[in-house]
Amino acid sequence: MACTESECVADCVRRAETLAFADPPPHSIGYMPIYVPRELIHAAGLLPAGLYGGGDRLEIIRGDAYFQSYICRIPRSTIELALSGHLDRLDGMLFPSICDVIRNLSGMWQMLFPDRYVRYIDVPQNFDPAVGGRFWRHELETLRRDMERIAGRPIDDEALRNSIAVYNENRAAIRELYAQRSRAPWRFPLSEAYLVLRAGNSVPPEEHTALIRDYIRGAENDLSRREMDQSRVVLAGMFCEQPPHGLLVTLERAGCAVVDDDLFLGMRWIQGDIPLDGDPLQNLVDAYLTASATTASRYSPEGHRAKWLLESYRRNEAEGVIFCAPSFCDPALLEQPMLVAALDRAGIPHTEFKYSEDTGQFAVIREQAGTFSDSIRLWSAS
Amino acid sequence: MKENSMLLQKQLLADHFDALARARDEGKKVVYTFVPGNLNELVRSFDLLPVLPEINALQSGMRKLSGGYITEAEKSGHSEDVCTYVKCDIGMLRKGNIGPTGKPLPKPDLLLLSYTGCFTFMKWFELLREEYDCPVAMLHVPYQSEGRIEPHQREYIVQQLRSEIIPKLEQVSGREFDIEKLRSMLRLSSKAEDDLVWVLESAKNTPSPIDAFFAGVYYLGPIFSAFRGTEDAVQYYRTLRGEIEERIANKEGPITPDGPMKGERYRLVVEGPPNWTSFRDFWKMFYEEDAVVVASTYTKVGGLYDQGFRHDPDHPLETLADYALGCYTNLSLPARVDLLARYIRDYRADGFLVNSVKSCNSFSVGQLLMLRQLEERTGVPGAFIESDLVDPRYFSAANIKNRIESYLQMLDQKRGAA
Amino acid sequence: MTIAAGIDVGSSAVKVAMIIGDEVLALHSERIRRRELRKVINDAYSIALGMANVKESDLAYVATTGEGELVEFRRGHFYGMTTHARGAIHLLPETRAVLDIGALHARAIQMDDRSRVLNYRMTSQCASGSGQFLENVARYLGIALEEVGPLSLQGDAPETVSSICAVLAETDVINMVSRGIKPADILKGIHISMAGRYVKLLRASGNATDVAITGGLASDVGLVEALRENCADLRFHTHPDSTYAGAIGAAFWGAYRHRVLESRKAS
Amino acid sequence: MKVFVGIDLGSTTTKAVILDEEERVIGRGITNSRSNYDVACAVVREEAFVRARFTMIERGLRTPRPHVIQDLERNFRLHQHLEQLDRLREAMLMLAARRGTPASIINGICDEMAIRARKHFAPGATRKSDFFRDLAAADYMSLAEAIREVSFESLCAIYDAAILAVENLTLDRAFERHIGSALQETEDGESLKEAVGAACNAELVESGSVGTGYGRQRLPFPKEQIRSEILCHGLGAHAMFPGTRTVLDIGGQDTKAIQLDPNGIVTSFQMNDRCAAGCGRYLGYIADEMNLGLHELGPLANESRHRVKINSTCTVFAGAELRDRLALGQKREDILAGLHRAIILRAMSLLARSGGISDEFTFTGGVARNSAAVGALRDLIAENYGARTINISHESIYTGALGAALFATRSAVRGNA
Ligand SMILES: Nc1ncnc2c1ncn2[C@@H]1O[C@H](COP(=O)(O)OP(=O)(O)O)[C@@H](O)[C@H]1O
Ligand SMILES: Nc1ncnc2c1ncn2[C@@H]1O[C@H](COP(=O)(O)OP(=O)(O)O)[C@@H](O)[C@H]1O
Ligand code: SF4
Ligand code: SF4
Ligand code: SF4
């Protein structure tokens, strides 16, 4: 079925909203942004549903009642969704160890919804296969048993292998989208790609992979899209609470073409394909130890994060870096000075600002992004 | 009026910071590490000197230096939003790394990142590593998400101690791990811990002879920090216990900066850390109204001794693991609520108060739900105030006083009605 | 020679600059204070045209900056920091950084000798310690804005404001007044805490030592003094026309763009 | 006659309530809070006592004459206003002389202001504000804008300095000074003459007073006479609506959610945190920005058909956001509707924090006078809690002061016993 990229985006928006604002499909397990091995959920025949906040349209009433003003937005909108019944049909919730906020949120869930399945997933910070690897395997085994219990059927190795293959495909499609965007950002603007990715939180991975491919084909064939005079930037800091769509539009209008970012890392925290042969669970364990994306939530032994950023800058032939982190996001904001120092050492231009998922005013951001882009564009020749 | 225990504690600190100042010259090696779940005995068993940046930060707060340090750190690009302990430490470093007694602190030879109950610690030492360019030993302590310590968690820690921490300590100190020495220190720890628990539980008396929050933080100094496992700490708690026994015999209340408290009108339980920049003013808001804190959770961030934990010389590595796993901020929220409910009941509290600090997500996220649950479970009304650890900009005295006063008047009104 | 206009639509005042070649022809500023913005813009613009003695048709380019989207007759828009840097270089050629302090935001900009913006920092979120806040306090104390600076210089026992929020800080000020603190000391205290925040911003943006202060608060001598006291290693420069830096910068960029476009047309 | 006074020194307004021994309200007063708390206190007390004398007049009449009394009070207020205007003129002339501004300009403006004042207080007229400061400012600014010889800027400065001086003067014995001339101008005034005389001579003995509110620490009262505003709002709301279980108070700078037991005793409460976003001052900034009176915001917002969703309620950025949105072509009423909803959303969170909304629910504080805020609150309560009895009274801004006065009465009674 041929469809244009705009139809495809509209389709994505509609599907993404089915989770947050209407009924989620039956038998799904909600999970917070990163480091959740979705393959294990999928292998049990359950749908992994990514929860990345409530966006800027959700009115927060009960959520604010539980969180002080100096805590980021994502836990409040997540609680709001749950307390207003939007998550009632989830069979359980997974809280990976991203930060103290998500960690404590898992306890709040236990208290607020004593009858529902809740699990905190402790992601190891030790990368020795015999130590951290063993621990992670234990976590995954527990998760596997839990999923089996919820689904009422065993997860055999074949099913798990199949799920790994499905997600390998999905990750490959996402990688292709990123590669295309980096090549021709005007053809695949972030404000669209974001929506296409976001849909992946609430549709089965097989469908999502197809959606992404449709979108890429649609946008490639749209000859009305012309190259624009923009500055190429890498965006960092958005791995958890997601920015409002208007922010991305603002960035692009202010002259920034985003060629790489860390949005929706939860879908692509495993880099490359996970092998299909051998013990599939062990393959998942090893993927975490050796092939997972570094984020601010993880211990970064030798400054891996800075390396990732510099590498992305070079690979994508970027001209600058924008740090755009959610307000009060400790992990992102704490690591920022280290990344800034690394960029300064490398002489790479950068700028930084904060947002929250319900930011409605973009004047300041527009001015900062605009000036940043101006200063790259007006002067890059000289 | 200074009591002996106070003088002793002062001396302990002074000696320690002197030793640190001389460390370079005397060829002693220094390890920076954190308070919750620290491995003090292990570090000391290698004859290494511990430095605790959190303690430096809170000391800077009490001496009104933190504001300047934080500004310094923010100037260099640190966000306004993040934990002020980190910024206070970085600022202090930028301004010459002068410790709380006015003597310079030595640079670390090792950053021992034992990472209990808070993710900020991890980034904190990553930041310090950039400054000092020295090795880091990382101990990942899993979270008690199900409200109990699981065997595989303990095992994971012991493995890390064996494969990561001990080798690095050996390397830095140039000594071999001496398990017997560790055992003997653990034995001293558990002795001091017995007396400490007695001190904390003395607040069950009426009137309470101690304030278990404002004075409590002083009482905990030695056991939470660099002195656990030493004879000095044992001595300190022995002396302290003696003094409190005397106060109980005389039916005396706690000692405050303005002398002994006279009446005891309200018995409170406090959740959350204190504010350090206006510590005295904050305390005064309580004792002026004859309110005494009989139990607090902050005094458990370095271990839940009152719930039965003791360092166990017979299982040295396992006990270190259990200790690290068991600190207050590593408990799940339901477990924290259980503990508070127990305190409210066991210490016969009239009320409980949450001091929510902006810096610390580990403490603060979920406190509003805890408040609601506790009110429902105990029938005791709670109060909620907000401040920060060491950022003077976040202590609005008028605002906090208003809330505390309103709260106490409410307790009064309820009592009048009953 | 190219004649161009720059209009800086701020949140408290509209500033207009008319330039010809390398020279400024006329400058005019109109405070908004509860008036309809479009009308204020039109008034300010026509007054400036009159002052410069030019007709609208003489203008090669009308450039806006700030919140200039309202201006229908503009030809192009430049972002605030780009224009302030340009304006500062025109007024104070020796400077390499700009501290622009307006009604709601402060911006610290680092630049090179051709006004290329190298780095910058800007306040966002909380509006504490902004010009608006100072204005409210002045109104509260019954002091005309022009007197704020000179009076602050007389303060000898400054009282610092603790609150970060401008609204709550106003209450702090009310309390101070009722405690009998002299207006001079209150103002000085406010200036000191504002200066602290701005210096933080400046340092975070880079390390040029010659700093041009632009924006409305450049004319506040009390604030300038507080900035100088706060850091001895920076040299702060002001110019009588500092307030107009944005408008001037916009005008010059406009003229530049005009030349670029013309030469494109020619070729 | 023994009376009891409660004073609520708020961040934006200061309120006083006077009770008689039967706990009946006989007088209320309100003024804007200002730098000198003692003056604010004195002014509001005087206001309340003036109002109490009017109550005495009513009580002294055998046949009720509400219309005549209304007229009388209106004329009285006009005289008070004109007196203030004279003082303002005097202060401005002095300042003008010092700055070299021609006196004729000031006099011209002031003459016109006096004419407008009579219109403000004409029968049936509605005023933009209860406060002299606001009424005078609106008139003055619009007149000053038309002046060409002197800059708007410097005329504003003169006004700003003068109004402060004028506000810090107290108005003692106001009743005695103006009632005579007011009576003369009142149609049918004769019929009140006797009652007015009696009211003038009635002895009102202040037998107890209690202070509360944001600035209560600075009230010239001993500590025993100070009560927390939480308790006062609780008790006041309970007195007005005895079935009250939940109280929401939105004042100038803070929002409070209070839960009560059946006796009006507070069982839990929550206040907004450090940030002043979404409180009454926010509406004040918005009104200023739109050049409207506070009274006009609600009605305008109610005209909205397409509410805009607004997330930020930062008070300081309110003006900027408003301008942004107007520039985007959004309608004033739609933005206003969104703003009101945003404020109430914040309040709803606070209510949820304090334990939800039980029946009956009472809304107090200045913002309860705003119809759009009330409308938004009704909607949100219905959406989230279902049917609840919602009490709002036009006097709800006095709830805290009423509670304080009740504490004064009761502690006097207890003291006597
Ligand atoms: N002489 C002065 N002293 C103090 N503040 C002043 C003075 N002149 C102007 N200001 C302040 O400058 C601000 C306006 O600055 P401006 O740069 O025009 O801001 P914006 O561009 O945001 O409108 C106002 O808030 C005003 O308070
Ligand atoms: N007549 C009115 N119409 C609409 N809003 C009003 C009116 N009067 C007061 N307000 C609102 O009430 C607020 C003041 O409330 P108040 O309870 O007096 O506060 P505080 O006790 O903090 O001074 C004002 O900021 C304003 O928003
Ligand atoms: S946005 Fe940041 S602070 Fe908030 S939950 Fe996510 S990682 Fe944690
Ligand atoms: S966030 Fe809390 S636990 Fe962590 S370092 Fe800061 S104060 Fe300590
Ligand atoms: S603290 Fe004040 S300035 Fe900051 S958001 Fe709140 S109201 Fe606005």
Side-chain angles (χ1 to χ4, degrees), chain C residues 17-267:
Chain C
M18 299 285 165
I19 60 150
I20 178 162
D22 288 336
E23 270 173 63
V24 172
L25 274 176
L27 295 170
H28 179 67
S29 158
E30 195 76 20
R31 299 236 300 141
I32 302 166
R33 199 168 174 178
R34 288 193 187 195
R35 288 185 286 169
E36 217 253 306
L37 188 54
R38 265 169 234 270
K39 189 172 163 314
V40 177
I41 293 172
N42 289 333
D43 283 0
Y45 180 56
S46 54
I47 291 173
L49 281 173
M51 285 166 71
N53 202 11
V54 293
K55 291 189 298 296
E56 233 181 315
S57 54
D58 300 336
L59 293 174
Y61 200 104
V62 179
T64 58
T65 183
E67 298 171 37
E69 281 85 350
L70 266 184
V71 182
E72 289 100 359
F73 50 86
R74 71 165 198 267
R75 184 136 170 242
H77 183 84
F78 299 96
Y79 290 96
M81 292 185 267
T82 318
T83 56
H84 273 271
R86 181 70 184 87
I89 285 285
H90 174 79
L91 296 172
L92 300 160
E94 71 278 25
T95 57
R96 292 295 172 271
V98 181
L99 180 63
D100 165 35
I101 318 171
L104 284 180
H105 297 290
R107 303 158 179 87
I109 310 158
Q110 303 280 326
M111 60 196 179
D112 67 9
D113 55 344
R114 295 154 63 211
S115 86
R116 170 185 179 175
V117 174
L118 304 173
N119 196 10
Y120 54 83
R121 281 285 189 298
M122 178 172 178
T123 53
S124 60
Q125 318 231 332
C126 272
S128 38
S130 59
Q132 173 92 60
F133 162 59
L134 200 59
E135 223 174 295
N136 291 352
V137 171
R139 198 175 310 165
Y140 191 82
L141 295 172
I143 294 164
L145 214 45
E146 305 84 73
E147 295 167 33
V148 165
L151 196 58
S152 156
L153 293 182
Q154 294 164 23
D156 43 21
E159 187 83 356
T160 48
V161 188
S162 61
S163 298
I164 298 198
C165 165
V167 181
L168 299 176
E170 263 177 75
T171 319
D172 277 6
V173 170
I174 297 174
N175 284 337
M176 286 181 199
V177 174
S178 66
R179 275 179 9 234
I181 312 247
K182 279 189 310 193
D185 288 333
I186 297 180
L187 290 173
K188 177 139 192 163
I190 293 173
H191 279 144
I192 289 176
S193 71
M194 287 169 81
R197 307 193 103 210
Y198 298 154
V199 167
K200 211 168 84 187
L201 215 58
L202 256 177
R203 300 234 194 245
S205 72
N207 40 29
T209 45
D210 284 283
V211 182
I213 309 178
T214 66
L217 269 75
S219 25
D220 184 339
V221 288
L223 180 64
V224 175
E225 180 58 28
L227 281 165
R228 288 187 174 134
E229 281 173 15
N230 187 300
C231 40
D233 57 324
L234 298 183
R235 284 186 295 273
F236 288 99
H237 304 265
T238 59
H239 186 280
D241 296 333
S242 276
T243 319
Y244 297 96
I248 294 172
F252 279 117
W253 276 126
Y256 168 79
R257 284 299 290 171
H258 170 73
R259 287 191 294 272
V260 171
L261 294 175
E262 287 299 300
S263 69
R264 259 192 223 160
K265 233 187 277 170
S267 62

Side-chain angles (χ1 to χ4, degrees), chain B residues 86-271:
Chain B
V86 181
K87 286 182 285 184
C88 186
D89 188 38
I90 302 262
M92 182 172 108
L93 191 137
R94 296 267 148 78
K95 295 206 164 175
N97 224 12
I98 305 298
T101 53
K103 303 205 165 147
L105 289 169
K107 287 185 179 164
D109 297 290
L110 176 72
L111 295 166
L112 174 52
L113 173 44
S114 59
Y115 148 62
T116 297
C118 155
F119 282 77
T120 300
F121 288 140
M122 210 160 67
K123 297 292 138 185
W124 189 341
F125 271 11
E126 283 181 25
L127 284 159
L128 287 194
R129 185 190 52 209
E130 299 236 316
E131 303 281 344
Y132 291 118
D133 200 23
C134 74
V136 184
M138 160 72 151
L139 177 70
H140 173 211
V141 178
Y143 182 54
Q144 279 198 40
S145 55
E146 303 297 316
R148 58 179 181 269
I149 296 174
E150 314 270 353
H152 81 282
Q153 296 179 325
R154 180 179 302 127
E155 205 179 302
Y156 175 42
I157 296 183
V158 171
Q159 281 175 345
Q160 291 181 76
L161 288 174
R162 289 221 173 92
S163 67
E164 162 84 5
I165 307 296
I166 292 176
K168 284 214 166 120
L169 288 171
E170 285 179 327
Q171 210 178 344
V172 169
S173 66
R175 290 173 185 242
E176 251 181 70
F177 174 49
D178 176 352
I179 197 157
E180 285 317 313
K181 190 162 178 198
L182 176 61
R183 281 187 214 275
S184 68
M185 298 190 81
L186 291 169
R187 214 162 284 126
L188 290 176
S189 300
S190 98
K191 241 196 230 172
E193 286 157 7
D194 284 339
D195 282 332
L196 166 74
V197 170
W198 185 91
V199 167
L200 291 175
E201 295 194 330
S202 72
K204 288 183 178 164
N205 288 286
T206 313
S208 167
I210 61 163
D211 187 293
F213 182 58
F214 293 106
V217 300
Y218 289 103
Y219 300 157
L220 284 152
I223 205 97
F224 280 7
S225 62
F227 307 103
R228 201 179 59 240
T230 65
E231 288 284 359
D232 289 341
V234 175
Q235 180 61 33
Y236 169 78
Y237 287 102
R238 201 36 48 93
T239 313
L240 178 63
R241 178 170 174 165
E243 285 164 8
I244 291 169
E245 277 170 347
E246 211 169 296
R247 284 218 289 279
I248 297 177
N250 300 334
K251 291 240 163 259
E252 280 171 348
I255 312 257
T256 74
D258 290 340
M261 238 175 103
K262 285 178 210 72
E264 177 187 284
R265 263 161 70 83
Y266 314 93
R267 295 168 67 85
L268 304 176
V269 169
V270 172
E271 145 76 13

Side-chain angles (χ1 to χ4, degrees), chain D residues 130-183:
Chain D
D130 295 329
F131 306 134
F132 175 75
R133 161 187 270 269
D134 299 341
L135 290 178
D139 290 346
Y140 183 90
M141 296 303 162
S142 72
L143 291 165
E145 221 185 312
I147 305 276
R148 283 284 157 230
E149 303 90 303
V150 183
S151 78
F152 180 67
E153 201 59 34
S154 56
L155 285 173
C156 287
I158 292 179
Y159 176 84
D160 287 339
I163 188 76
L164 224 86
V166 170
E167 279 202 322
N168 281 334
L169 300 172
T170 50
L171 308 157
D172 13 309
R173 306 185 47 74
F175 188 76
E176 289 85 338
R177 272 186 294 119
H178 298 301
I179 195 69
S181 25
L183 196 59

Side-chain angles (χ1 to χ4, degrees), chain A residues 66 68 70 100-101 103-104 108 110 122-123 125 134-135 138 296-301 303 328 330 354, chain B residues 81 117 119 122-123 126 129 136 138 140 142-143 145 152 155-156 159 329 333-334 356 361-362 364-365 386:
Chain A
Y66 292 112
Q68 300 88 320
Y70 44 77
D100 296 322
V101 176
R103 188 195 73 181
N104 287 11
M108 296 176 72
Q110 292 172 347
D122 226 325
V123 185
Q125 305 284 1
R134 232 171 99 179
F135 179 79
H138 187 280
S297 293
R298 232 174 63 173
Y299 178 54
S300 172
F328 302 109
D330 281 8
K354 293 183 287 189
Chain B
D81 292 356
F119 282 77
M122 210 160 67
K123 297 292 138 185
E126 283 181 25
R129 185 190 52 209
V136 184
M138 160 72 151
H140 173 211
Y143 182 54
S145 55
H152 81 282
E155 205 179 302
Y156 175 42
Q159 281 175 345
T329 45
L333 287 201
S356 170
N361 282 346
S362 172
S364 305
V365 174
E386 291 172 285

Side-chain angles (χ1 to χ4, degrees), chain B residues 410 413-418, chain D residues 231 234-235 238 259-268:
Chain B
M410 173 179 112
Q413 202 191 24
K414 277 189 109 164
R415 231 189 314 226
Chain D
L231 299 191
L235 191 59
H238 175 74
Q259 306 289 345
L260 297 178
D261 74 3
N263 302 310
I265 290 176
V266 178
T267 56
S268 88

